[in-house]
């Protein structure tokens, strides 16, 4: 590549982030609306309904709402991570062709990636902060450590977004996203200990749940909001999520280059 | 067919979008078998007129009859007998080249076997048979355009509407499209096209209307329009940009008074409309005017347009 | 109003719209297959997970039923809703705004009503297959104590039809992908509050009339009464409500589609 000889301005990824933020300025209302409303709906729905039935049984040692809420928070981070990395990224390849336009400037592929991933993390952070406030209003925050779920939420989003970016760059049509949704996202959401403890799964499939980045995210968030997190397992969970983010980024850089630099 | 013998006839046709009037009352008639053109710059109202003729845009006012049927009430019946090539290719990117034709044929209710046969013939006609099984996306602009033209022919239309058929194509691709359209015309298909290219209008159209600001400003065959609104030859005198700036441009024009039927001052050149170009060039040098370069050419529709509107077509 | 609209429909042309989708998905069979996979997961998660935590709940016909028996028919209805709304909002929006597919289709004799019916027909063909599979799995897992459950299949189709028509209508009002956040919120509200996870009696009295307004509530109540074997006259009321949704959605969709594309 001839890009090495050109003198290029600094902070290029920041420009990409700025680009996405400018777009977001027009659309933030709808997303904030949903990132506030969805948790309210969720927590109120469970609190009003099924939570009462679960609490009769005292299986969990804590109110079902308190058990569920941090799990749903982690799931929100995952959902944003994946959503922002599928159709949105795909349309920039195929429909709006933003990437093509960006690469006609001094920007490099890694700048596009870093800038847009930073935007995804930003989106997740906003949603997590709002979610945490809603959780507090529902009385499901039991420890001051709960504030730490904010950066953890960002990390979960990054760990899910980076590999999804890599996947999206390999897709020639939008059809692959429903497959991703059904074979990866939904199973992960259902069996990562969000709605019921992983210990309830049959022993042979339990290790699959441990592979899911969401399980690690849920463990972290739940430990933080209930105040039951121990440092060593916490480090393990963080490291595992960081590996997903790192490997995902490397893969994304490869697949993006293969698609854009031809 | 309408009683007046026209395939398309419009009277007082108006199209408004809110406060904006795209087509400000036009009358026209297109005969069977002719190639009829709308010539004009972007925003002249050509595409709006085409969409009304295609029965996908109801007229705001006026009467429009196509194939003897009223456009306002017989949309599906008329569309069944039309072929449409929209300005932007709207090919189905989820289908292959061949499927784009077969499925489109099905929208007309054409039986599957017939659709298959016609699709194969049409791919031959537009020279895309070897790409039949390919996706649409990787095709070049010219190929997509040809495929769109093939698609417009699946229902064996009596009338084909082409909105800017060659805009954005390279010269070679344009000539290929023209050649295919010429063959269609030979087969007796009525063609109605819009263009802002003079050469396209001169190549393809038997008769055309010049549109500007939603109105028809002239009508006739390309040669008749040139004869009526221009001279046989044009002398183009090119100057340094600063020389033609404002008053100085008019000064030069004044110096040349009487040498030509008409003088047009453009930002970068002077146009002298005259019957004998070479004689005029000699006269210009005699008056001591020294342009950077001199070109003598035949009059074209561009000159007609300039005369009619005071503006050039492609800015 | 709708009858005049439907009288002029040429089924061949609406059929061609379905045919186009079939052709596209013949290559994307894996996507179709994945649609079967999803309900299995939900039933599994509910059966071994949440079901264990909840125990049993009041049944519609009186007495109590194990939670999976209670919630599975609701999932059937939710699935029909989700399939219909995803297809007619996300996919149709893409075709409408980005692929310019409908511009090309409407240049042919196909009318907006035929186009809408074709898209909905495809959506139903697809979700009908899924509902049948879902119901089959429910039966195998012993979640359909009554033979009335057979009727839950046409019920699911009706639910799908209602949401597909409403979805098409809704899509014509969407301006950008960002507006889909509102769609997601609407889906979520219905999912959480339409009596899906809990009997209507579990809600405070003031919430109940609101719940009864949602089309999903009527879908859930209908399928639940059928699979648990306790349909009564109320079931006919649910059917009527869903039919009204179909008519209304279709009428708005066709009119708006014409307004958007035939300008």
């Amino acid at each position: 590549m001839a890009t090495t000889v050109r003198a290029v301005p600094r902070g290029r990824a920041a420009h990409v982030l700025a680009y996405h933020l400018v777009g977001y300025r027009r659309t933030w209302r709808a997303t904030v609306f949903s990132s506030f409303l969805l948790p309210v709906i969720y927590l109120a729905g469970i609190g009003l309904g099924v939570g009462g039935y679960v609490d009769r049984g005292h299986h969990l040692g804590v109110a079902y709402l308190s058990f569920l809420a941090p799990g749903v928070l982690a799931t929100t981070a995952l959902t944003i991570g994946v959503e922002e990395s599928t159709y949105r990224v795909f349309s920039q390849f195929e429909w709006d062709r933003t990437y093509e336009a960006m690469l006609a400037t001094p920007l490099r592929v890694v700048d596009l990636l870093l800038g847009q991933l930073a935007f995804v993390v930003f989106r997740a952070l906003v949603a997590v902060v709002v979610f945490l406030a809603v959780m507090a209003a529902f009385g499901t925050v039991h420890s001051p450590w709960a504030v730490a779920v904010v950066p953890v939420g960002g990390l979960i989003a990054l760990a899910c977004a980076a590999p999804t970016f890599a996947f999206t760059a390999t897709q020639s049509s939008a059809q692959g996203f429903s497959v991703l949704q059904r074979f990866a996202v939904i199973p992960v959401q259902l069996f990562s200990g969000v709605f019921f403890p992983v210990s309830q799964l049959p022993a042979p499939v339990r290790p699959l749940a441990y592979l899911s980045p969401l399980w690690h995210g849920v463990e972290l968030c739940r430990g933080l909001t209930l105040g039951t997190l121990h440092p060593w397992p916490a480090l393990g969970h963080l490291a595992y999520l960081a590996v997903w983010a790192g490997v995902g980024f490397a893969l994304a850089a490869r697949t993006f280059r293969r698609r854009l630099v031809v | 067919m309408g009683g007046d013998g026209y395939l398309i006839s419009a009277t007082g046709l108006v199209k408004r979008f809110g406060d904006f009037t795209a087509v400000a009352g036009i009358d026209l008639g297109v005969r069977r078998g002719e190639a009829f053109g709308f010539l004009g710059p972007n925003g002249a109202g050509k595409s709006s007129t085409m969409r009304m003729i295609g029965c996908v845009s109801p007229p705001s006012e006026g009467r429009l009859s196509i194939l003897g049927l009223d456009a306002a009430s017989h949309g599906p019946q008329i569309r069944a007998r039309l072929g449409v090539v929209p300005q932007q290719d709207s090919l189905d990117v989820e289908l292959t080249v061949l499927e784009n034709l077969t499925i489109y044929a099905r929208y007309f209710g054409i039986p599957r076997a017939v659709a298959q046969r016609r699709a194969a013939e049409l791919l031959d006609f537009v020279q895309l048979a070897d790409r039949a099984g390919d996706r649409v996306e990787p095709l070049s602009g010219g190929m997509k355009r040809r495929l769109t033209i093939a698609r417009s022919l699946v229902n064996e239309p009596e009338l084909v509407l082409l909105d800017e058929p060659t805009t954005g194509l390279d010269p070679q691709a344009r000539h290929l499209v023209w050649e295919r359209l010429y063959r269609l015309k030979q087969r007796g298909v009525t063609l109605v096209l819009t263009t802002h290219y003079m050469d396209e209008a001169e190549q393809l159209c038997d008769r055309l209307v010049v549109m500007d600001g939603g109105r028809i400003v002239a009508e006739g065959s390309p040669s008749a329009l040139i004869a009526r609104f221009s001279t046989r030859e044009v002398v183009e005198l090119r100057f340094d940009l600063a020389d033609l700036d404002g008053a100085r441009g008019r000064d030069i024009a004044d110096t040349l008074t009487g040498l030509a039927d008409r003088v047009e001052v453009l930002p970068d050149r002077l146009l002298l409309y005259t019957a004998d170009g070479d004689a005029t060039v000699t006269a210009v040098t005699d008056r001591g005017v020294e342009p950077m370069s001199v070109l003598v050419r035949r009059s074209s529709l561009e000159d007609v347009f300039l005369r009619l509107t005071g503006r050039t077509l492609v800015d | 109003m709708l009858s005049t609209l439907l009288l002029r429909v040429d089924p061949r042309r609406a059929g061609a719209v379905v045919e186009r989708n079939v052709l596209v998905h013949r290559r994307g069979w894996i996507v179709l297959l994945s649609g079967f996979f999803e309900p299995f997961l939900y039933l599994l998660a509910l059966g071994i997970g949440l079901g264990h935590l909840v125990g049993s709940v009041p049944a519609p016909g009186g007495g109590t039923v194990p939670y999976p028996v209670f919630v599975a028919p609701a999932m059937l209805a939710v699935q029909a809703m989700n399939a219909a709304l995803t297809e007619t909002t996300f996919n149709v929006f893409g075709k409408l705004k980005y692929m310019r597919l409908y511009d090309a289709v409407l240049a042919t004799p196909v009318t907006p009503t035929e186009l809408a019916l074709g898209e909905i027909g495809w959506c139903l063909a697809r979700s009908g297959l899924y509902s049948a599979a879902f119901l089959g799995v429910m039966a195998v897992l012993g979640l359909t104590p009554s033979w009335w459950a057979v009727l839950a299949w046409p019920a699911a189709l009706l639910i799908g039809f209602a949401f597909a028509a409403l979805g098409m209508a809704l899509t014509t009002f969407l301006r950008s992908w960002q507006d889909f956040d509102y769609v997601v919120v609407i889906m979520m509200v219905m999912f959480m509050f339409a009596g899906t996870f809990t009997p209507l009696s579990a809600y405070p009295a003031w919430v109940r009339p609101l719940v009864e307004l949602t089309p999903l509530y009527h879908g859930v109540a209908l399928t639940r009464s059928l699979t648990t074997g306790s349909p009564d006259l109320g079931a006919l009321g649910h059917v009527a409500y869903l039919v009204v949704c179909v008519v209304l959605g279709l009428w708005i969709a066709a009119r708006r589609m014409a307004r958007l594309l035939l300008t």
Side-chain angles (χ1 to χ4, degrees):
Chain A
M1 285 303 307
T3 46
T4 46
V5 280
R6 266 195 325 237
V8 279
R10 286 170 171 281
R12 284 158 300 185
H15 298 314
V16 177
L17 173 62
Y19 163 82
H20 291 288
L21 288 175
V22 167
Y24 186 60
R25 237 177 20 195
R26 281 196 305 273
T27 54
W28 65 275
R29 261 178 218 92
T31 55
V32 167
F33 172 73
S34 63
S35 48
F36 167 74
L37 221 55
L38 287 181
V40 172
I41 294 166
Y42 225 107
L43 297 184
I46 298 292
L48 280 174
V50 78
Y53 288 104
V54 177
D55 291 341
R56 286 179 321 193
H58 306 293
H59 297 282
L60 296 167
V62 30
Y64 187 57
L65 201 57
S66 294
F67 173 86
L68 182 75
V72 177
L73 179 140
T75 309
T76 304
L78 166 130
T79 309
I80 289 176
V82 174
E83 252 171 27
E84 289 284 327
S85 330
T86 49
Y87 288 96
R88 225 183 120 86
V89 169
F90 186 75
S91 78
Q92 284 170 283
F93 278 119
E94 280 289 310
W95 298 324
D96 304 336
R97 300 203 169 264
T98 331
Y99 294 141
E100 220 172 90
M102 284 181 169
L103 287 184
T105 72
L107 293 171
R108 299 164 307 174
V109 169
V110 283
D111 301 322
L112 303 190
L113 274 176
L114 280 175
Q116 195 165 358
L117 282 170
F119 174 72
V120 176
V121 170
F122 167 78
R123 283 268 287 114
L125 291 179
V126 172
V128 168
V129 168
V130 174
F131 200 117
L132 191 61
V134 174
M135 270 181 74
F138 276 85
T140 55
V141 173
H142 302 281
S143 154
W145 279 105
V147 290
V149 300
V150 175
V152 168
L155 182 58
I156 297 170
L158 187 62
C160 299
T164 311
F165 268 64
F167 171 81
T168 300
T170 63
Q171 297 300 298
S172 58
S173 82
Q175 277 194 349
F177 300 134
S178 16
V179 176
L180 178 77
Q181 182 71 17
R182 285 184 173 137
F183 287 114
V185 177
I186 290 179
V188 159
Q189 286 174 343
L190 288 175
F191 299 101
S192 294
V194 176
F195 303 96
F196 55 90
V198 169
S199 59
Q200 258 172 256
L201 289 172
V205 291
R206 240 173 274 163
L208 289 176
Y210 300 145
L211 282 179
S212 131
L214 183 60
W215 179 72
H216 296 271
V218 170
E219 286 296 300
L220 281 168
C221 293
R222 191 172 284 147
L224 288 167
T225 59
L226 294 178
T228 56
L229 192 65
H230 298 288
W232 287 112
L235 281 179
H237 296 312
L238 286 173
Y240 186 75
L241 289 174
V243 167
W244 269 73
V247 173
F249 185 81
L251 288 174
R254 259 178 70 139
T255 54
F256 263 60
R257 255 184 223 119
R258 206 169 288 166
R259 178 146 187 170
L260 291 169
V261 186
V262 281
Chain B
M1 189 67 95
D4 46 9
Y6 286 115
L7 211 57
I8 301 173
S9 78
T11 38
L13 200 57
V14 174
K15 183 68 195 182
R16 273 189 289 268
F17 298 101
D19 290 337
F20 174 69
T21 304
V23 179
I26 59 171
D27 302 323
L28 55 96
V30 177
R31 289 182 209 97
R32 186 176 288 276
E34 83 177 331
F36 185 88
F38 290 95
L39 178 73
N42 293 329
K46 304 179 307 253
S47 289
S48 298
T49 307
M50 285 295 255
R51 282 175 52 80
M52 286 192 275
I53 297 174
C55 295
V56 290
S57 170
S60 309
E61 261 175 50
R63 206 184 61 83
L64 176 62
S65 145
I66 296 146
L67 301 160
L69 298 167
D70 181 19
S73 56
H74 290 76
Q77 291 90 327
I78 295 169
R79 291 198 299 268
R81 293 158 67 188
L82 291 186
V84 177
V85 177
Q87 191 167 5
Q88 272 180 308
D89 291 314
S90 53
L91 295 164
D92 193 331
V93 291
E94 293 188 311
L95 299 176
T96 64
V97 167
L98 181 71
E99 288 164 352
N100 256 284
L101 300 186
T102 51
I103 285 294
Y104 206 73
R106 300 288 293 151
Y107 293 142
F108 287 89
I110 294 168
R112 230 170 255 119
V114 180
Q116 286 290 345
R117 184 167 46 75
R118 268 188 213 165
E121 286 167 11
L122 285 169
L123 283 185
D124 271 335
F125 176 67
V126 295
Q127 298 168 341
L128 283 173
D130 53 331
R131 306 299 295 261
D134 289 6
R135 286 269 179 156
V136 167
E137 208 49 56
L139 297 184
S140 71
M143 289 177 177
K144 283 184 186 161
R145 214 61 193 141
R146 266 143 55 204
L147 181 57
T148 305
I149 291 173
R151 190 184 68 178
S152 74
L153 301 175
V154 283
N155 57 327
E156 301 189 325
E158 295 157 65
L159 172 62
V160 179
L161 309 176
L162 304 118
D163 199 353
E164 303 280 353
T166 65
T167 297
L169 300 190
D170 62 55
Q172 211 184 345
R174 293 180 75 199
H175 280 281
L176 191 54
V177 168
W178 285 347
E179 190 256 335
R180 294 292 113 173
L181 292 179
Y182 189 70
R183 282 188 192 221
L184 274 183
K185 199 180 138 190
Q186 298 275 295
R187 292 184 193 173
V189 177
T190 309
L191 301 180
V192 173
L193 58 122
T194 72
T195 182
H196 59 251
Y197 293 128
M198 304 306 119
D199 49 350
E200 185 156 283
E202 293 181 42
Q203 283 266 346
L204 291 175
C205 299
D206 302 320
R207 207 155 58 83
L208 52 91
V209 290
V210 180
M211 281 190 83
D212 188 42
R215 293 178 192 284
I216 291 176
V217 289
E219 182 182 346
S221 69
S223 53
L225 284 172
I226 291 169
R228 179 143 51 109
F229 295 104
S230 191
T231 50
R232 201 171 73 88
E233 292 191 329
V234 186
V235 178
E236 292 200 12
L237 305 177
R238 210 167 270 276
F239 290 90
D240 202 297
L241 282 181
D243 285 341
L244 288 185
D245 205 18
R248 294 167 71 187
R250 276 195 300 279
D251 284 347
I252 299 179
D254 288 342
T255 319
L256 300 176
T257 316
L259 293 189
D261 295 3
R262 194 160 59 88
V263 179
E264 289 279 353
V265 185
L266 299 185
D268 59 339
R269 63 209 144 113
L270 286 182
L271 303 183
L272 307 183
Y273 289 91
T274 169
D276 183 350
D278 290 329
T280 309
V281 171
T282 317
V284 166
T285 17
D286 287 349
R287 294 209 181 166
V289 175
E290 287 174 5
M292 275 164 55
S293 70
V294 176
L295 169 74
V296 178
R297 60 168 174 82
R298 315 241 334 178
S299 245
S300 74
L301 285 173
E302 172 90 46
D303 301 300
V304 172
F305 190 79
L306 189 61
R307 170 74 187 279
L308 288 168
T309 68
R311 287 179 290 118
T312 50
L313 259 162
V314 190
D315 295 312
Chain C
M1 54 184 185
L2 194 79
S3 57
T4 51
L5 214 64
L6 289 180
L7 270 181
R8 276 184 269 156
V9 165
D10 181 335
R12 271 179 320 170
R13 296 196 296 243
V17 177
V18 179
E19 202 178 320
R20 183 245 164 218
N21 286 314
V22 172
L23 198 60
V24 168
H25 284 82
R26 211 152 59 181
R27 278 186 295 272
W29 57 270
I30 187 164
V31 178
L32 281 185
L33 200 71
S34 70
F36 290 102
F37 180 67
E38 196 174 315
F40 288 74
L41 290 178
Y42 274 103
L43 282 179
L44 228 60
L46 289 166
I48 60 176
L50 208 51
H52 174 76
L53 292 174
V54 174
S56 41
V57 291
T64 61
V65 285
Y67 193 60
V69 172
F70 176 82
V71 86
M75 288 297 122
L76 177 68
V78 167
Q79 189 209 219
M81 169 183 87
N82 282 345
L85 283 183
T86 320
E87 181 72 32
T88 54
T89 57
F90 285 89
N91 294 357
V92 167
F93 186 75
K95 291 176 190 173
L96 185 72
K97 294 258 160 145
Y98 285 90
M99 289 165 52
R100 305 181 141 272
L101 188 69
Y102 296 154
D103 293 283
V105 175
L106 292 181
T108 72
V110 175
T111 63
T113 313
E114 289 161 352
L115 180 58
L117 277 174
E119 289 291 4
I120 290 170
W122 157 247
C123 176
L124 285 186
R126 190 169 157 182
S127 80
L129 282 177
Y130 295 157
S131 305
F134 193 94
L135 214 50
V137 176
M138 277 174 65
V140 170
L141 296 178
L143 300 177
T144 51
S146 156
W147 274 102
W148 281 104
V150 175
L151 287 182
W153 187 67
L157 277 182
L158 177 62
I159 297 166
F161 201 173
F163 279 104
L166 292 174
M168 282 292 267
L170 182 66
T171 301
T172 60
F173 291 97
L174 300 176
R175 294 153 302 175
S176 74
W177 289 115
Q178 235 60 39
D179 282 345
F180 280 91
D181 287 346
Y182 298 113
V183 178
V184 171
V185 167
I186 293 171
M187 283 166 83
M188 194 67 180
V189 168
M190 286 199 279
F191 182 56
M192 294 305 302
F193 292 102
T196 325
F197 294 104
T198 37
L200 193 57
S201 58
Y203 293 108
W206 63 272
V207 181
R208 282 177 222 163
L210 296 175
V211 172
E212 285 174 309
L213 271 181
T214 65
L216 183 61
Y217 166 75
H218 295 275
V220 168
L222 181 61
T223 50
R224 186 175 284 148
S225 72
L226 289 167
T227 60
T228 56
S230 52
D232 51 17
L233 273 180
L236 288 178
H238 300 315
V239 170
Y241 185 98
L242 293 170
V243 169
V244 170
C245 289
V246 168
V247 173
L248 203 67
L250 214 52
W251 183 65
I252 297 175
R255 277 181 64 110
R256 289 275 311 166
M257 202 82 109
R259 276 257 304 268
L260 282 182
L261 295 170
L262 306 179
T263 53

